[in-house]
């Protein structure tokens, strides 16, 4: 009934039973590690600082930031795009990998979906604050009003963004919570007292009947089908904010796929950063195995290479187009460093050359090490690399936004931008906010989808795969008589 | 009024699936099956009707597309036309992104809401749990004793369940009737006969 090729690596190790899975995953909810409190206090404090600085910005105005007449988008929009990108891994894992029947998604989908929601929440903050008068944010919605029936401009990509981001947040939230119901019911049936009361409310009365599961499967599949184009559309639309403009360096037709690949790239990096810590602290090594990490690293090397090709294509097209403004932005504003390319091309160094080369190093060069299996399966290297990519992808957005803006058509309005402490503080604050939400999620909800892991146990549990391997070995020996030239090798090098 | 159920507890999804098929072959209608995770083929083995949730999704999606396109066309081309970058008032390609987003939004929200309604899910609902181990590691088959009240039937179902691998068989009193969704409007159970046709 259940069959997996024995050369497939197990995704659940440690000879687990269904009951073990429940026990292991609910352990960190029932007996949280002490580290949790320390982490919560730190991230809570950072989040509070961020919120205070947001309030300061709203109170005093956008003048608290380092923006000027020339560079009117900078850290805030960089942070917005960075967070949105991070929010792309969750839906990719739960939707696209569900359609592709990738079983390894079950180890990380729940946490990645939660990350998506928190990241999109952080992202949404930035354009809202950037409006300046945040209390008028509802002006962006089309509703009959007393301002002479002034409708929003539906031709504007900025408005498309409003719809894309809010749809993405809503659909991700529905997907995540609906998937959580069976696991919250598990927590309900294990807990006592007030915890039981709360989990009982939150489980919405889930009982696990055949009909509920049938509808659940249908809903998951259709939501996955809807979310797949959705996740691709969201970052495409974010890229339209730039691509439909006439700013050199932004006016590029490859932006949509390039942004989407970058988003998935950075999203997986963040999933790895968090899950490598979580699997260690919460002792989930049997559920988030080296095989999971390797799979994610494969996606990273693929999307990282797509991003690399996009960078080079952009550069090539800027040169080949013969458009002097485009060429100026790429060479004089980005690439020309003071050491190699600047002197080589005989131009003075670009003011933001260090941002461009940080991006190139972190995003294009460093992930190439994941072509080596040994390195893909190395936890320490994966962790360091995930941080590198997070930094690199932040720089990518900074490079696109600031280097294009600071020196454009009219030299008299050329300027330089550097952030104020308020901007830096708000960005760091959103990281605190993100971590606070993530920690609360880890503490009160199953961080791995219990029911989904159980559903793949018989195809991906180590004991079952081994059984199939032994069985096939025997059959082969019978068929070919004796000595096994046929040996279904299980990959054991991480044990 | 209490509702009585004859309950068989299984340890394994494959054993349960075979058991459901076997019991139904003997002419007994399984009232409800509870599992800790979705077991593929269970709905077919039980003779459950297919869900129509995906159709609902399509309907809501279509409503979303129409809403988005009509609102954009009305505001931009009819109610208050404004020249933006020399584009035509009715600039259909520009309506693509929001048209798509609202299709997805309406379909997802609509389907999920219908899913909650059809399952009777609500924050106010207290689930009456038949067996606490269902959400952990046990697979449970329940028979309605209102339907099978004769001793002969009970003995026979018990025997069938034990033979098919049930590790425990017991009678459970429930305050609420299990899954009224299984029943048709006329009150009849969806039978073997109905399933085959």
């Amino acid at each position: 009934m259940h069959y997996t090729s024995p050369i497939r690596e197990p995704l659940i190790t440690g000879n687990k039973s269904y009951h073990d899975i429940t026990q292991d995953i609910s352990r960190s909810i029932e007996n949280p590690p002490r580290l949790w409190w320390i982490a919560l206090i730190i991230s809570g404090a950072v989040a509070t600082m961020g919120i205070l600085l947001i309030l300061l910005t709203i109170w005093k105005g956008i003048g608290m930031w380092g923006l000027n007449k020339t560079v009117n988008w900078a850290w805030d929009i960089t942070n917005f795009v960075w967070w949105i990108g991070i929010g792309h891994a969750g839906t990719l894992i739960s939707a696209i990998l569900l359609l592709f029947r990738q079983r390894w998604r079950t180890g990380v989908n729940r946490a990645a979906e939660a990350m998506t929601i928190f990241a999109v929440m952080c992202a949404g903050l930035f354009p809202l604050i950037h409006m300046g008068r945040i209390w008028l944010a509802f002006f962006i919605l089309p509703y009959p009003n007393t301002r002479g029936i002034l409708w929003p401009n539906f031709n504007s990509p900025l408005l498309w963004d409003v719809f894309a981001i809010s749809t993405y947040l809503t659909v991700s939230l529905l997907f995540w919570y609906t998937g959580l119901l069976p696991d919250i019911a598990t927590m309900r049936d294990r807990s006592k007292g007030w915890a039981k009361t709360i989990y009982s409310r939150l489980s919405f009365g889930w009982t696990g009947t055949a009909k509920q599961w049938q509808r659940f499967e249908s809903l998951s599949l259709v939501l996955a089908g809807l979310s797949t184009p959705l996740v691709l559309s969201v970052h495409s639309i974010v890229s339209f904010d730039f691509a439909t403009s006439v700013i050199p360096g932004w006016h590029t037709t490859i932006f949509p796929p390039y942004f989407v690949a970058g988003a998935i790239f950075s999203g997986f990096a963040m999933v790895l950063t968090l899950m490598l810590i979580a699997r260690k602290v919460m002792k989930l090594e049997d559920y988030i195995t080296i095989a999971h990490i390797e799979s994610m690293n494969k996606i990273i090397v693929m999307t990282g290479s797509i991003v690399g090709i996009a960078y080079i294509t952009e550069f090539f097209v800027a040169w080949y187009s013969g458009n002097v403004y485009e060429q100026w932005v790429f060479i004089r504003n980005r690439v020309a460093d003071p050491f190699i390319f600047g002197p080589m091309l005989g131009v003075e160094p670009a003011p933001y050359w260090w941002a461009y080369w940080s991006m190139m190093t972190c995003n294009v060069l460093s992930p190439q090490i994941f072509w080596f299996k040994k390195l893909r399966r190395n936890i320490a290297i994966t962790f360091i690399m995930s941080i590198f990519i997070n930094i690199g992808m932040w720089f990518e957005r900074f490079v696109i936004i600031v280097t294009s803006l600071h020196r454009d058509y009219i030299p008299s309005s050329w300027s330089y931008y550097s952030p104020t402490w308020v901007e830096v503080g708000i960005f760091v604050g959103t990281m605190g906010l993100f971590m606070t939400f993530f920690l609360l999620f880890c503490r009160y909800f199953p961080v791995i989808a219990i029911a989904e892991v159980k559903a793949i146990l018989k195809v991906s549990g180590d004991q079952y795969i081994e059984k199939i391997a032994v069985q096939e070995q025997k059959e082969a020996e019978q068929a070919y008589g004796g000595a096994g030239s046929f040996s279904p090798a299980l990959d054991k090098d991480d044990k | 009024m209490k509702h009585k159920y004859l309950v068989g507890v299984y340890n394994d999804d494959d054993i349960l699936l075979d058991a459901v098929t076997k019991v139904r072959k003997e002419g007994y209608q399984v009232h409800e099956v509870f599992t800790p995770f979705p077991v593929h083929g269970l709905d077919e083995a039980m003779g459950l009707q297919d869900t129509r949730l995906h159709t609902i999704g399509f309907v809501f999606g279509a409503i979303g597309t129409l809403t988005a396109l009509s609102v954009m066309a009305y505001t931009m081309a009819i109610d208050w036309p404004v020249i933006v970058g020399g584009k035509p008032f009715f600039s259909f390609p520009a309506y693509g992104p929001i048209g798509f987003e609202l299709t997805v939004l309406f379909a997802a929200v609509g389907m999920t809401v219908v899913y909650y309604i059809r399952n009777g899910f609500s924050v106010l609902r207290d689930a009456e749990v038949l067996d606490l181990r269902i959400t952990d590691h046990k697979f449970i088959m329940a028979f309605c004793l209102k339907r099978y009240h004769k001793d002969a039937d009970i003995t026979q179902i018990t025997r069938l369940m034990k033979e098919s691998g049930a590790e425990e068989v017991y009678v459970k009193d429930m305050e609420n009737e299990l899954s009224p969704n299984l029943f048709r409007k006329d009150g009849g159970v969806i039978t073997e006969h109905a399933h085959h046709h």
Side-chain angles (χ1 to χ4, degrees):
Chain A
M1 178 151 285
H2 299 283
Y3 177 81
T4 301
S5 163
I7 56 167
R8 286 238 180 248
E9 220 176 317
L11 296 172
I12 304 161
T13 55
N15 194 15
K16 302 290 183 195
S17 67
Y18 293 134
H19 183 58
D20 293 336
I21 295 174
T22 318
Q23 293 285 77
D24 291 348
I25 297 174
S26 45
R27 192 197 306 118
S28 56
I29 301 177
E30 286 155 2
N31 305 300
R34 189 164 304 160
L35 204 63
W36 185 82
W37 280 107
I38 301 169
L40 185 76
I41 289 168
I42 295 172
S43 53
V46 175
T48 312
M49 176 202 68
I51 291 165
L52 290 175
L53 290 175
I54 289 173
L55 290 175
L56 180 71
T57 304
I58 294 170
W59 186 255
K60 293 263 191 182
I62 298 297
M64 295 306 287
W65 296 355
L67 302 175
N68 53 50
K69 239 175 93 132
T70 306
V71 184
N72 42 24
W73 275 8
W75 266 54
D76 51 339
I77 304 298
T78 302
N79 300 340
F80 159 71
V81 183
W82 187 72
W83 275 121
I84 284 284
I86 285 169
H88 271 54
T91 316
L92 180 102
I93 292 174
S94 8
I96 300 183
L97 298 186
L98 178 95
L99 297 183
F100 280 107
R101 306 244 179 262
Q102 291 295 307
R103 294 193 193 103
W104 60 268
R105 78 190 177 86
T106 57
V108 287
N109 64 347
R110 172 67 45 73
E113 282 166 38
M115 272 180 44
T116 291
I117 292 158
F118 307 145
V120 173
M121 283 160 64
C122 289
L125 269 176
F126 286 99
L128 283 175
I129 315 164
H130 194 190
M131 285 179 177
R133 286 177 284 175
I134 194 173
W135 52 92
L136 298 180
F138 62 93
F139 276 25
I140 55 180
L141 299 173
Y143 65 100
N145 55 65
T146 53
R147 300 186 297 274
I149 315 291
L150 190 62
W151 298 105
N153 174 16
F154 286 106
N155 289 338
S156 163
L158 297 181
L159 189 66
W160 304 347
D161 238 1
V162 173
F163 282 88
I165 307 287
S166 41
T167 299
Y168 189 53
L169 181 62
T170 313
V171 175
S172 304
L173 204 59
L174 294 176
F175 205 5
W176 177 68
Y177 198 79
T178 304
L180 258 173
L181 285 185
D183 291 355
I184 295 176
T186 300
M187 295 317 300
R188 171 197 72 202
D189 293 345
R190 290 173 64 85
S191 52
K192 289 190 177 62
W194 61 268
K196 195 182 189 77
T197 316
I198 292 172
Y199 281 126
S200 186
R201 296 275 78 85
L202 294 178
S203 73
F204 278 60
W206 175 274
T207 48
T209 67
K211 194 73 196 174
Q212 285 174 359
W213 281 122
Q214 186 198 42
R215 292 190 180 121
F216 178 91
E217 294 261 272
S218 168
L219 181 68
S220 308
L221 192 64
V222 178
L223 282 184
L226 288 170
S227 306
T228 297
L230 179 66
V231 71
L232 303 179
S233 83
V234 172
H235 229 62
S236 296
I237 291 178
V238 169
S239 82
F240 292 164
D241 292 349
F242 304 98
T244 58
S245 73
V246 290
I247 307 285
W250 289 7
H251 187 69
T252 309
T253 43
I254 63 161
F255 261 24
Y258 152 28
F259 268 51
V260 170
I264 292 164
F265 181 55
S266 67
F268 270 92
M270 190 58 106
V271 170
L272 280 169
T273 310
L274 290 186
M275 292 323 278
L276 286 177
I277 300 172
R279 83 193 268 277
K280 183 87 188 157
V281 175
M282 300 163 99
K283 301 190 180 63
L284 295 171
E285 285 96 337
D286 284 330
Y287 302 96
I288 304 169
T289 64
I290 300 289
H292 288 85
I293 295 168
E294 191 186 3
S295 297
M296 287 193 267
N297 280 336
K298 282 179 185 166
I299 293 194
I300 281 189
V301 73
M302 183 190 77
T303 48
S305 303
I306 295 177
V307 166
I309 287 179
Y311 293 162
I312 296 164
T313 307
E314 242 188 346
F315 190 74
F316 171 79
V317 171
W319 166 72
Y320 194 63
S321 67
N323 181 320
V324 288
Y325 301 105
E326 201 75 21
Q327 289 172 346
W328 171 277
V329 162
F330 275 89
I331 293 170
R332 301 289 193 103
N333 284 1
R334 295 185 184 174
V335 177
D337 65 302
F339 311 109
I340 304 168
F341 291 96
M344 231 166 76
L345 297 164
V347 295
E348 82 273 25
Y352 289 107
W353 67 270
W354 44 272
Y356 183 81
W357 287 104
S358 306
M359 164 189 106
M360 277 304 216
T361 319
C362 293
N363 287 351
V364 184
L365 299 178
S366 57
Q368 300 306 323
I369 63 164
F370 285 145
W371 287 105
F372 299 99
K373 192 181 173 97
K374 271 252 148 54
L375 301 176
R376 283 202 299 268
R377 299 174 72 88
N378 183 310
I379 293 173
I381 288 187
T382 302
F383 186 75
I384 294 167
M385 200 49 66
S386 73
I387 306 260
F388 258 67
I389 294 165
N390 284 322
I391 296 171
M393 284 308 291
W394 189 89
F395 271 112
E396 179 198 296
R397 280 65 177 251
F398 181 82
V399 165
I400 292 171
I401 294 167
V402 177
T403 64
S404 277
L405 283 179
H406 82 296
R407 301 200 296 185
D408 63 0
Y409 302 105
I410 310 170
S412 62
S413 52
W414 284 5
S415 117
Y416 191 78
Y417 161 86
S418 26
T420 63
W421 62 278
V422 178
E423 280 169 292
V424 180
I426 292 176
F427 177 50
V428 176
T430 53
M431 287 193 207
L433 197 65
F434 176 80
M435 277 312 293
T436 308
F437 283 134
F438 191 76
L439 286 165
L440 289 172
F441 157 72
C442 290
R443 172 69 184 80
Y444 296 109
F445 293 115
V447 73
I448 292 178
I450 301 178
E452 292 191 51
V453 169
K454 283 176 191 163
I456 65 156
L457 179 66
K458 282 194 177 172
V459 275
S460 297
D462 52 358
Q463 72 272 42
Y464 294 96
I465 291 184
E466 244 159 88
K467 211 193 284 172
I468 292 167
V470 170
Q471 177 70 22
E472 288 196 354
Q473 174 84 26
K474 252 186 223 157
E475 279 166 18
E477 275 168 17
Q478 274 168 8
Y480 302 111
S485 55
F486 176 86
S487 85
L490 281 174
D491 212 327
K492 292 280 192 195
D493 55 1
D494 56 299
K495 296 272 171 65
Chain B
M1 201 187 91
K2 296 259 187 208
H3 300 270
K4 274 188 189 305
Y5 294 95
L6 183 62
V7 175
V9 182
Y10 292 80
N11 247 337
D12 183 274
D13 43 336
D14 291 326
I15 298 174
L16 169 95
L17 204 54
D18 291 343
V20 170
T21 315
K22 185 177 172 190
V23 172
R24 287 192 77 226
K25 220 175 255 169
E26 297 286 328
Y28 292 101
Q29 175 62 42
V30 181
H31 187 88
E32 189 54 282
V33 175
F34 297 89
T35 57
F37 57 84
V39 175
H40 289 285
L42 181 61
D43 46 355
E44 273 172 48
M46 281 173 72
L48 283 184
Q49 282 185 323
D50 201 5
T51 173
R52 288 163 297 175
L53 209 52
H54 30 72
T55 316
I56 294 287
F58 177 79
V59 171
F60 275 103
I63 294 173
T65 320
L66 291 176
T67 309
L69 294 182
S70 52
V71 167
M72 285 186 285
Y74 171 73
T75 58
M76 301 287 286
I78 299 168
D79 189 46
W80 201 277
V82 176
I83 298 172
V84 181
K87 295 185 183 88
F89 296 131
F90 183 77
S91 45
F92 192 73
Y95 303 162
I98 292 181
F100 170 75
E101 297 299 327
L102 287 199
T103 306
V104 171
L105 182 69
F106 274 53
V109 172
M111 250 183 108
T112 312
V113 167
V114 171
Y115 168 80
Y116 279 66
I117 293 172
R118 290 294 288 158
N119 282 330
F121 287 164
S122 140
V123 261
L124 302 173
R125 178 172 157 189
D126 267 316
E128 194 186 2
V129 177
L130 191 143
D131 191 313
L132 284 175
R133 299 167 299 175
I134 291 166
T135 52
D136 184 3
H137 60 302
K138 296 294 182 199
F139 303 80
I140 278 178
M141 204 196 299
F143 290 86
C144 179
L145 288 186
K146 215 187 287 173
R147 186 185 168 99
Y148 300 116
H149 48 83
K150 288 185 207 134
D151 282 345
D153 281 338
I154 296 173
T155 322
Q156 177 69 354
I157 296 172
T158 308
R159 189 183 61 79
L160 280 171
M161 287 205 284
K162 289 212 161 139
E163 272 178 15
S164 61
E167 55 162 25
E168 245 178 86
V169 176
Y170 62 87
V171 173
K172 172 90 179 177
D173 285 333
M174 300 285 283
E175 289 296 331
N176 301 299
E177 192 171 12
L178 291 177
S179 309
N181 282 343
L182 269 184
F183 293 88
R184 287 196 163 159
K185 270 189 192 138
D186 56 9
V189 175
I190 299 165
T191 59
E192 184 82 308
H193 183 76
H195 172 60
H196 283 304
H197 288 86

